[in-house]
Amino acid sequence: MKASKHSPRALLCSVLLSIPLFGQAETVNWANWLTGQISKHPEVLAATEQAAARKEDAEASEQPLYNPELSVGADRTGSENNFEAGLSQTIDWSDQQGALKEKAKLIRLSAQAGLSEAVLTQTSESLFALVEWRATTLFEEIAESQQQRLDALLDQVEQRQQAGDLGRADAELLFLNLSRQLSEVAQAKAAVDRAETQVRERLPDWRPQDGGIPEYIWSALESQIGEADLLAHPSIAAARAKWQVLKSEAEVARRKATASPTVGLSGGRDGGENVVGLTFSIPLNVRNNYSAEIRAANRRALEAEARFQALYRKQQYDLAGARASWKRYDKQLRRWKELSQGRVQRSADLLEKQWQVGDLSTSEYLQALGQRAESLKTGIELEKLAQLGLIELLSQSGELITPFQ
């Protein structure tokens, strides 16, 4: 589907398309793929149709309020045929159409903000799902690698036991660790299956071989962090637009309460003579002056304003919390990388050599292997939390996408 400037694809590319990057071509390609996938999601399609419908409502609000009325009549008096034709027009005395045109502009802004909000939600949830899937696949790799190492170790233990180098207790201890590892592998694979279904639900054409978020995307995301204009955040913009629409509706209600006169011109024949008539009518707002409707519209506008202010205030705190959380996780991740510096990857072979020469007992070796696996998992978990924190930060600031302007 070709993307128009009003489509979700035009709303999605934000940080991924709006800044210079080292791997810009790859970034643009991946961003285009992601935007294409998100634009196919039923929630985004529904939001697109809703926005289109609201824009049609806006166009309807801009149309003239009153159409001219044509009236014709005929009768017969004795031998005379009488007829009359008239044309009347109600005058928009209080300029309701002016207020409705202003309302139409605000409806369009509200529709666009609502679509941007849906796109932002789907973008962040899709990235969340990809991060979670990658972490679970790495956990699965660690669990399988640990199982393979324990399988190989079991063969060695049995050989050394037959040679009298190790006791039966070592084999039993290894068997218990291997049994527990089988359960961990099963749980890790189940977690991957669940994470995969979450990604497929959000990205229809995604396949596991497509992988997660490319590494070069993260530098692009980090470079977008700055002082955000929360008034441009889709959720805030949608709430503000709703308030403005209701405020304009209050003005429409006020002008509608002013009576609009109707002027008519008629002509015909009556009793064999030509007649011309001029009519003027105006409603008398005596029994109902529509003040209750005006007060209700004003109250709705005040409610929407209060909700907008509350949401804006909440968003400020949510953004501050997301920023602090991401900084905390990012700092700990950097610290973990400094501490590991490849040590964790090399430690498995070193531990095995120490066990082979007898510097480590079998129980100490198994404990060290478990600690090594936990350290690897810690690094993966910290990386996942830092990435999720970055996505949440950009989602809370509204910088994860750039709404159409």
Side-chain angles (χ1 to χ4, degrees), residues 204-259:
D205 299 328
W206 177 87
R207 300 165 300 171
Q209 52 265 41
D210 294 328
I213 302 172
E215 190 63 30
Y216 50 78
I217 294 296
W218 295 109
S219 59
L221 291 174
E222 288 187 15
S223 68
Q224 189 69 8
I225 299 173
E227 293 300 322
D229 178 13
L230 285 183
L231 288 176
H233 189 286
S235 297
I236 303 299
R240 189 168 186 262
K242 181 178 180 180
W243 163 42
Q244 295 293 333
V245 168
L246 290 173
K247 188 177 178 181
S248 68
E249 286 183 356
E251 177 61 20
V252 171
R254 186 187 68 80
R255 297 189 186 188
K256 189 176 180 180
T258 301

Short mmCIF file of all heavy atoms in Angstrom, two decimals, residues 204-259:
data_model
loop_
_atom_site.label_atom_id
_atom_site.label_comp_id
_atom_site.label_asym_id
_atom_site.label_seq_id
_atom_site.Cartn_x
_atom_site.Cartn_y
_atom_site.Cartn_z
N PRO A 204 2.57 -8.78 11.60
CA PRO A 204 1.96 -9.92 10.89
C PRO A 204 2.93 -10.75 10.06
O PRO A 204 2.80 -11.97 10.00
CB PRO A 204 0.90 -9.24 10.00
CG PRO A 204 0.60 -7.94 10.67
CD PRO A 204 1.87 -7.51 11.32
N ASP A 205 3.90 -10.12 9.40
CA ASP A 205 4.78 -10.85 8.49
C ASP A 205 6.12 -11.23 9.12
O ASP A 205 7.01 -11.73 8.43
CB ASP A 205 5.04 -10.02 7.22
CG ASP A 205 3.75 -9.73 6.46
OD1 ASP A 205 2.84 -10.58 6.51
OD2 ASP A 205 3.65 -8.66 5.84
N TRP A 206 6.26 -10.98 10.40
CA TRP A 206 7.55 -11.27 11.07
C TRP A 206 7.75 -12.77 11.19
O TRP A 206 6.82 -13.53 11.43
CB TRP A 206 7.56 -10.63 12.45
CG TRP A 206 8.79 -10.93 13.25
CD1 TRP A 206 9.98 -10.24 13.22
CD2 TRP A 206 8.98 -11.99 14.20
NE1 TRP A 206 10.88 -10.81 14.08
CE2 TRP A 206 10.30 -11.89 14.70
CE3 TRP A 206 8.16 -13.02 14.65
CZ2 TRP A 206 10.80 -12.77 15.65
CZ3 TRP A 206 8.66 -13.91 15.60
CH2 TRP A 206 9.97 -13.77 16.09
N ARG A 207 9.01 -13.19 11.03
CA ARG A 207 9.42 -14.57 11.23
C ARG A 207 10.62 -14.59 12.16
O ARG A 207 11.40 -13.63 12.18
CB ARG A 207 9.78 -15.23 9.90
CG ARG A 207 8.65 -15.25 8.87
CD ARG A 207 9.21 -15.57 7.49
NE ARG A 207 10.19 -14.57 7.07
CZ ARG A 207 10.97 -14.68 6.00
NH1 ARG A 207 10.89 -15.76 5.25
NH2 ARG A 207 11.84 -13.73 5.69
N PRO A 208 10.82 -15.66 12.91
CA PRO A 208 11.97 -15.71 13.83
C PRO A 208 13.30 -15.44 13.14
O PRO A 208 14.19 -14.83 13.74
CB PRO A 208 11.90 -17.14 14.38
CG PRO A 208 10.46 -17.51 14.31
CD PRO A 208 9.95 -16.85 13.06
N GLN A 209 13.44 -15.87 11.87
CA GLN A 209 14.70 -15.63 11.17
C GLN A 209 14.93 -14.15 10.86
O GLN A 209 16.05 -13.75 10.53
CB GLN A 209 14.79 -16.46 9.88
CG GLN A 209 13.62 -16.32 8.94
CD GLN A 209 12.60 -17.42 9.16
OE1 GLN A 209 12.30 -17.78 10.28
NE2 GLN A 209 12.07 -17.96 8.07
N ASP A 210 13.86 -13.34 10.97
CA ASP A 210 14.03 -11.89 10.80
C ASP A 210 14.77 -11.27 11.96
O ASP A 210 15.29 -10.16 11.84
CB ASP A 210 12.66 -11.21 10.63
CG ASP A 210 11.96 -11.63 9.35
OD1 ASP A 210 12.68 -11.89 8.36
OD2 ASP A 210 10.73 -11.69 9.32
N GLY A 211 14.79 -11.97 13.09
CA GLY A 211 15.53 -11.47 14.25
C GLY A 211 14.80 -10.38 15.00
O GLY A 211 13.64 -10.06 14.75
N GLY A 212 15.53 -9.78 15.94
CA GLY A 212 14.97 -8.71 16.76
C GLY A 212 15.32 -7.35 16.21
O GLY A 212 15.50 -7.17 14.99
N ILE A 213 15.46 -6.39 17.09
CA ILE A 213 15.80 -5.02 16.68
C ILE A 213 17.28 -4.97 16.35
O ILE A 213 18.12 -5.34 17.18
CB ILE A 213 15.47 -4.03 17.80
CG1 ILE A 213 13.98 -4.12 18.16
CG2 ILE A 213 15.84 -2.61 17.40
CD1 ILE A 213 13.59 -3.32 19.39
N PRO A 214 17.67 -4.51 15.16
CA PRO A 214 19.09 -4.45 14.80
C PRO A 214 19.87 -3.57 15.78
O PRO A 214 19.36 -2.60 16.31
CB PRO A 214 19.06 -3.84 13.39
CG PRO A 214 17.71 -4.16 12.86
CD PRO A 214 16.79 -4.12 14.04
N GLU A 215 21.13 -3.93 15.96
CA GLU A 215 21.96 -3.22 16.94
C GLU A 215 22.11 -1.74 16.60
O GLU A 215 22.14 -0.89 17.49
CB GLU A 215 23.35 -3.90 17.00
CG GLU A 215 24.22 -3.41 18.13
CD GLU A 215 23.64 -3.73 19.50
OE1 GLU A 215 22.92 -4.75 19.63
OE2 GLU A 215 23.87 -2.94 20.44
N TYR A 216 22.19 -1.41 15.30
CA TYR A 216 22.43 -0.02 14.93
C TYR A 216 21.22 0.87 15.20
O TYR A 216 21.32 2.09 15.17
CB TYR A 216 22.84 0.09 13.45
CG TYR A 216 21.92 -0.64 12.49
CD1 TYR A 216 20.69 -0.11 12.11
CD2 TYR A 216 22.29 -1.86 11.95
CE1 TYR A 216 19.86 -0.78 11.22
CE2 TYR A 216 21.47 -2.54 11.07
CZ TYR A 216 20.26 -1.99 10.70
OH TYR A 216 19.44 -2.66 9.84
N ILE A 217 20.08 0.26 15.46
CA ILE A 217 18.89 1.07 15.76
C ILE A 217 19.01 1.74 17.13
O ILE A 217 18.54 2.86 17.33
CB ILE A 217 17.63 0.20 15.71
CG1 ILE A 217 17.37 -0.31 14.29
CG2 ILE A 217 16.41 0.96 16.23
CD1 ILE A 217 17.08 0.79 13.29
N TRP A 218 19.70 1.06 18.06
CA TRP A 218 19.74 1.59 19.42
C TRP A 218 20.48 2.91 19.52
O TRP A 218 20.09 3.80 20.29
CB TRP A 218 20.34 0.55 20.37
CG TRP A 218 19.49 -0.67 20.47
CD1 TRP A 218 19.75 -1.91 19.96
CD2 TRP A 218 18.19 -0.75 21.07
NE1 TRP A 218 18.70 -2.75 20.22
CE2 TRP A 218 17.74 -2.08 20.90
CE3 TRP A 218 17.38 0.17 21.74
CZ2 TRP A 218 16.50 -2.50 21.38
CZ3 TRP A 218 16.17 -0.26 22.21
CH2 TRP A 218 15.73 -1.58 22.04
N SER A 219 21.55 3.07 18.73
CA SER A 219 22.26 4.36 18.75
C SER A 219 21.37 5.47 18.22
O SER A 219 21.41 6.62 18.69
CB SER A 219 23.55 4.27 17.93
OG SER A 219 23.25 3.92 16.58
N ALA A 220 20.53 5.11 17.23
CA ALA A 220 19.59 6.10 16.70
C ALA A 220 18.56 6.49 17.75
O ALA A 220 18.21 7.67 17.90
CB ALA A 220 18.89 5.54 15.46
N LEU A 221 18.08 5.51 18.50
CA LEU A 221 17.09 5.80 19.53
C LEU A 221 17.69 6.65 20.65
O LEU A 221 17.08 7.61 21.11
CB LEU A 221 16.55 4.49 20.10
CG LEU A 221 15.67 3.65 19.17
CD1 LEU A 221 15.34 2.31 19.80
CD2 LEU A 221 14.40 4.39 18.80
N GLU A 222 18.90 6.30 21.06
CA GLU A 222 19.53 7.06 22.14
C GLU A 222 19.80 8.50 21.74
O GLU A 222 19.71 9.41 22.57
CB GLU A 222 20.84 6.38 22.56
CG GLU A 222 20.64 5.08 23.32
CD GLU A 222 21.94 4.53 23.85
OE1 GLU A 222 22.94 5.27 23.88
OE2 GLU A 222 21.96 3.35 24.25
N SER A 223 20.13 8.71 20.48
CA SER A 223 20.43 10.08 20.03
C SER A 223 19.19 10.97 20.02
O SER A 223 19.30 12.18 19.92
CB SER A 223 21.04 10.04 18.63
OG SER A 223 20.08 9.62 17.67
N GLN A 224 18.01 10.37 20.12
CA GLN A 224 16.78 11.15 20.09
C GLN A 224 16.39 11.68 21.46
O GLN A 224 15.51 12.53 21.57
CB GLN A 224 15.65 10.28 19.52
CG GLN A 224 14.35 11.00 19.21
CD GLN A 224 14.48 11.96 18.04
OE1 GLN A 224 15.51 11.96 17.36
NE2 GLN A 224 13.47 12.76 17.79
N ILE A 225 17.05 11.19 22.50
CA ILE A 225 16.70 11.62 23.86
C ILE A 225 17.03 13.09 24.04
O ILE A 225 18.14 13.52 23.74
CB ILE A 225 17.43 10.77 24.91
CG1 ILE A 225 17.04 9.30 24.77
CG2 ILE A 225 17.14 11.27 26.31
CD1 ILE A 225 17.84 8.37 25.65
N GLY A 226 16.08 13.84 24.51
CA GLY A 226 16.30 15.27 24.76
C GLY A 226 15.17 15.83 25.57
O GLY A 226 14.39 15.10 26.19
N GLU A 227 15.07 17.13 25.57
CA GLU A 227 13.97 17.80 26.27
C GLU A 227 12.74 17.76 25.38
O GLU A 227 12.69 18.43 24.35
CB GLU A 227 14.35 19.25 26.61
CG GLU A 227 15.47 19.37 27.63
CD GLU A 227 15.11 18.73 28.95
OE1 GLU A 227 13.95 18.83 29.39
OE2 GLU A 227 16.00 18.10 29.57
N ALA A 228 11.81 16.95 25.75
CA ALA A 228 10.63 16.74 24.91
C ALA A 228 9.58 17.82 25.13
O ALA A 228 9.43 18.35 26.23
CB ALA A 228 10.02 15.37 25.19
N ASP A 229 8.86 18.14 24.06
CA ASP A 229 7.70 19.02 24.15
C ASP A 229 6.48 18.15 24.37
O ASP A 229 5.94 17.56 23.43
CB ASP A 229 7.56 19.84 22.87
CG ASP A 229 6.35 20.75 22.89
OD1 ASP A 229 5.76 20.93 23.98
OD2 ASP A 229 5.98 21.29 21.83
N LEU A 230 6.06 18.04 25.62
CA LEU A 230 4.96 17.12 25.94
C LEU A 230 3.65 17.54 25.30
O LEU A 230 2.77 16.70 25.13
CB LEU A 230 4.80 17.02 27.46
CG LEU A 230 5.85 16.19 28.19
CD1 LEU A 230 5.53 16.10 29.66
CD2 LEU A 230 5.95 14.79 27.58
N LEU A 231 3.50 18.80 24.96
CA LEU A 231 2.26 19.22 24.30
C LEU A 231 2.13 18.57 22.92
O LEU A 231 1.02 18.47 22.39
CB LEU A 231 2.20 20.74 24.16
CG LEU A 231 1.97 21.52 25.45
CD1 LEU A 231 2.03 23.01 25.18
CD2 LEU A 231 0.63 21.15 26.08
N ALA A 232 3.26 18.12 22.37
CA ALA A 232 3.22 17.44 21.08
C ALA A 232 3.05 15.94 21.22
O ALA A 232 2.90 15.24 20.22
CB ALA A 232 4.51 17.73 20.30
N HIS A 233 3.08 15.43 22.46
CA HIS A 233 2.87 13.99 22.67
C HIS A 233 1.47 13.63 22.18
O HIS A 233 0.50 14.31 22.49
CB HIS A 233 3.02 13.67 24.16
CG HIS A 233 3.05 12.21 24.46
ND1 HIS A 233 1.91 11.42 24.41
CD2 HIS A 233 4.06 11.38 24.79
CE1 HIS A 233 2.23 10.18 24.72
NE2 HIS A 233 3.53 10.13 24.96
N PRO A 234 1.33 12.53 21.42
CA PRO A 234 0.01 12.19 20.86
C PRO A 234 -1.10 12.12 21.89
O PRO A 234 -2.21 12.61 21.64
CB PRO A 234 0.26 10.83 20.21
CG PRO A 234 1.69 10.86 19.82
CD PRO A 234 2.38 11.63 20.90
N SER A 235 -0.85 11.54 23.05
CA SER A 235 -1.90 11.43 24.07
C SER A 235 -2.29 12.81 24.59
O SER A 235 -3.48 13.10 24.78
CB SER A 235 -1.42 10.55 25.23
OG SER A 235 -1.17 9.24 24.79
N ILE A 236 -1.29 13.65 24.83
CA ILE A 236 -1.56 15.01 25.32
C ILE A 236 -2.25 15.82 24.23
O ILE A 236 -3.21 16.55 24.49
CB ILE A 236 -0.26 15.69 25.76
CG1 ILE A 236 0.44 14.86 26.84
CG2 ILE A 236 -0.54 17.09 26.26
CD1 ILE A 236 -0.34 14.66 28.10
N ALA A 237 -1.75 15.69 23.01
CA ALA A 237 -2.36 16.43 21.89
C ALA A 237 -3.80 16.01 21.68
O ALA A 237 -4.67 16.85 21.39
CB ALA A 237 -1.54 16.21 20.62
N ALA A 238 -4.07 14.70 21.83
CA ALA A 238 -5.45 14.21 21.67
C ALA A 238 -6.35 14.77 22.76
O ALA A 238 -7.48 15.20 22.49
CB ALA A 238 -5.47 12.69 21.70
N ALA A 239 -5.87 14.78 24.01
CA ALA A 239 -6.67 15.32 25.12
C ALA A 239 -6.89 16.82 24.95
O ALA A 239 -7.99 17.33 25.22
CB ALA A 239 -5.98 15.03 26.45
N ARG A 240 -5.86 17.51 24.52
CA ARG A 240 -5.98 18.96 24.31
C ARG A 240 -6.95 19.27 23.16
O ARG A 240 -7.78 20.19 23.26
CB ARG A 240 -4.61 19.55 24.01
CG ARG A 240 -4.56 21.08 23.99
CD ARG A 240 -3.12 21.54 23.98
NE ARG A 240 -3.04 22.99 24.10
CZ ARG A 240 -2.88 23.82 23.07
NH1 ARG A 240 -2.80 23.31 21.84
NH2 ARG A 240 -2.80 25.11 23.25
N ALA A 241 -6.86 18.47 22.10
CA ALA A 241 -7.76 18.68 20.96
C ALA A 241 -9.21 18.40 21.36
O ALA A 241 -10.13 19.12 20.95
CB ALA A 241 -7.35 17.79 19.79
N LYS A 242 -9.42 17.37 22.19
CA LYS A 242 -10.78 17.07 22.65
C LYS A 242 -11.33 18.23 23.45
O LYS A 242 -12.51 18.60 23.31
CB LYS A 242 -10.77 15.80 23.49
CG LYS A 242 -12.15 15.39 23.98
CD LYS A 242 -12.10 14.10 24.78
CE LYS A 242 -13.50 13.71 25.27
NZ LYS A 242 -13.48 12.46 26.06
N TRP A 243 -10.51 18.79 24.31
CA TRP A 243 -10.94 19.96 25.10
C TRP A 243 -11.30 21.12 24.18
O TRP A 243 -12.34 21.76 24.36
CB TRP A 243 -9.82 20.35 26.07
CG TRP A 243 -9.94 21.74 26.62
CD1 TRP A 243 -11.07 22.35 27.06
CD2 TRP A 243 -8.89 22.70 26.79
NE1 TRP A 243 -10.80 23.63 27.49
CE2 TRP A 243 -9.47 23.86 27.34
CE3 TRP A 243 -7.52 22.67 26.54
CZ2 TRP A 243 -8.71 25.00 27.63
CZ3 TRP A 243 -6.77 23.79 26.84
CH2 TRP A 243 -7.35 24.94 27.37
N GLN A 244 -10.46 21.38 23.18
CA GLN A 244 -10.72 22.49 22.27
C GLN A 244 -11.99 22.25 21.45
O GLN A 244 -12.75 23.20 21.18
CB GLN A 244 -9.51 22.69 21.35
CG GLN A 244 -8.24 23.13 22.05
CD GLN A 244 -8.35 24.51 22.65
OE1 GLN A 244 -9.11 25.35 22.18
NE2 GLN A 244 -7.60 24.77 23.71
N VAL A 245 -12.22 21.00 21.06
CA VAL A 245 -13.44 20.69 20.31
C VAL A 245 -14.67 20.97 21.17
O VAL A 245 -15.65 21.59 20.72
CB VAL A 245 -13.44 19.22 19.84
CG1 VAL A 245 -14.82 18.81 19.33
CG2 VAL A 245 -12.41 19.03 18.72
N LEU A 246 -14.66 20.51 22.42
CA LEU A 246 -15.79 20.74 23.32
C LEU A 246 -15.95 22.22 23.64
O LEU A 246 -17.08 22.71 23.81
CB LEU A 246 -15.62 19.94 24.61
CG LEU A 246 -15.76 18.42 24.43
CD1 LEU A 246 -15.40 17.70 25.72
CD2 LEU A 246 -17.16 18.06 24.00
N LYS A 247 -14.85 22.92 23.70
CA LYS A 247 -14.92 24.37 23.91
C LYS A 247 -15.59 25.05 22.72
O LYS A 247 -16.42 25.97 22.88
CB LYS A 247 -13.50 24.92 24.12
CG LYS A 247 -13.45 26.38 24.53
CD LYS A 247 -12.00 26.80 24.78
CE LYS A 247 -11.93 28.27 25.16
NZ LYS A 247 -10.51 28.69 25.38
N SER A 248 -15.25 24.58 21.52
CA SER A 248 -15.88 25.15 20.32
C SER A 248 -17.36 24.76 20.25
O SER A 248 -18.20 25.55 19.78
CB SER A 248 -15.14 24.68 19.06
OG SER A 248 -15.33 23.29 18.86
N GLU A 249 -17.69 23.56 20.75
CA GLU A 249 -19.10 23.15 20.79
C GLU A 249 -19.90 24.05 21.74
O GLU A 249 -21.08 24.33 21.49
CB GLU A 249 -19.22 21.69 21.21
CG GLU A 249 -18.80 20.71 20.12
CD GLU A 249 -18.99 19.27 20.54
OE1 GLU A 249 -19.36 19.04 21.71
OE2 GLU A 249 -18.77 18.38 19.70
N ALA A 250 -19.26 24.48 22.81
CA ALA A 250 -19.93 25.40 23.72
C ALA A 250 -20.23 26.73 23.04
O ALA A 250 -21.30 27.32 23.23
CB ALA A 250 -19.07 25.62 24.97
N GLU A 251 -19.29 27.17 22.21
CA GLU A 251 -19.51 28.41 21.47
C GLU A 251 -20.62 28.22 20.43
O GLU A 251 -21.45 29.12 20.21
CB GLU A 251 -18.21 28.85 20.79
CG GLU A 251 -18.32 30.09 19.93
CD GLU A 251 -18.73 31.33 20.71
OE1 GLU A 251 -18.59 31.35 21.95
OE2 GLU A 251 -19.22 32.31 20.08
N VAL A 252 -20.64 27.05 19.79
CA VAL A 252 -21.71 26.76 18.83
C VAL A 252 -23.06 26.78 19.53
O VAL A 252 -24.05 27.33 19.02
CB VAL A 252 -21.47 25.41 18.14
CG1 VAL A 252 -22.69 25.01 17.30
CG2 VAL A 252 -20.23 25.47 17.25
N ALA A 253 -23.12 26.16 20.72
CA ALA A 253 -24.37 26.13 21.47
C ALA A 253 -24.82 27.55 21.85
O ALA A 253 -26.02 27.86 21.82
CB ALA A 253 -24.21 25.28 22.74
N ARG A 254 -23.85 28.39 22.20
CA ARG A 254 -24.20 29.77 22.57
C ARG A 254 -24.79 30.52 21.38
O ARG A 254 -25.79 31.23 21.50
CB ARG A 254 -22.96 30.50 23.09
CG ARG A 254 -23.23 31.89 23.65
CD ARG A 254 -21.95 32.61 23.99
NE ARG A 254 -21.21 32.95 22.78
CZ ARG A 254 -21.48 33.99 21.98
NH1 ARG A 254 -22.52 34.77 22.25
NH2 ARG A 254 -20.75 34.23 20.92
N ARG A 255 -24.15 30.36 20.22
CA ARG A 255 -24.64 31.06 19.03
C ARG A 255 -25.96 30.46 18.54
O ARG A 255 -26.81 31.18 17.99
CB ARG A 255 -23.60 31.01 17.92
CG ARG A 255 -22.30 31.72 18.29
CD ARG A 255 -21.38 31.83 17.09
NE ARG A 255 -20.08 32.38 17.48
CZ ARG A 255 -19.13 32.74 16.62
NH1 ARG A 255 -19.34 32.59 15.31
NH2 ARG A 255 -17.99 33.22 17.04
N LYS A 256 -26.12 29.16 18.73
CA LYS A 256 -27.35 28.50 18.30
C LYS A 256 -28.55 28.99 19.09
O LYS A 256 -29.69 29.00 18.60
CB LYS A 256 -27.20 26.99 18.45
CG LYS A 256 -28.33 26.18 17.84
CD LYS A 256 -28.05 24.69 17.95
CE LYS A 256 -29.20 23.88 17.32
NZ LYS A 256 -28.94 22.43 17.43
N ALA A 257 -28.30 29.42 20.33
CA ALA A 257 -29.39 29.92 21.16
C ALA A 257 -29.95 31.24 20.65
O ALA A 257 -31.06 31.63 21.00
CB ALA A 257 -28.92 30.07 22.60
N THR A 258 -29.16 31.93 19.83
CA THR A 258 -29.65 33.17 19.22
C THR A 258 -30.57 32.83 18.06
O THR A 258 -30.20 32.05 17.17
CB THR A 258 -28.47 34.02 18.71
OG1 THR A 258 -27.60 34.31 19.80
CG2 THR A 258 -28.95 35.32 18.09
N ALA A 259 -31.76 33.39 18.05
CA ALA A 259 -32.74 33.06 17.02
C ALA A 259 -32.26 33.49 15.64
O ALA A 259 -31.68 34.56 15.47
CB ALA A 259 -34.07 33.72 17.35
#
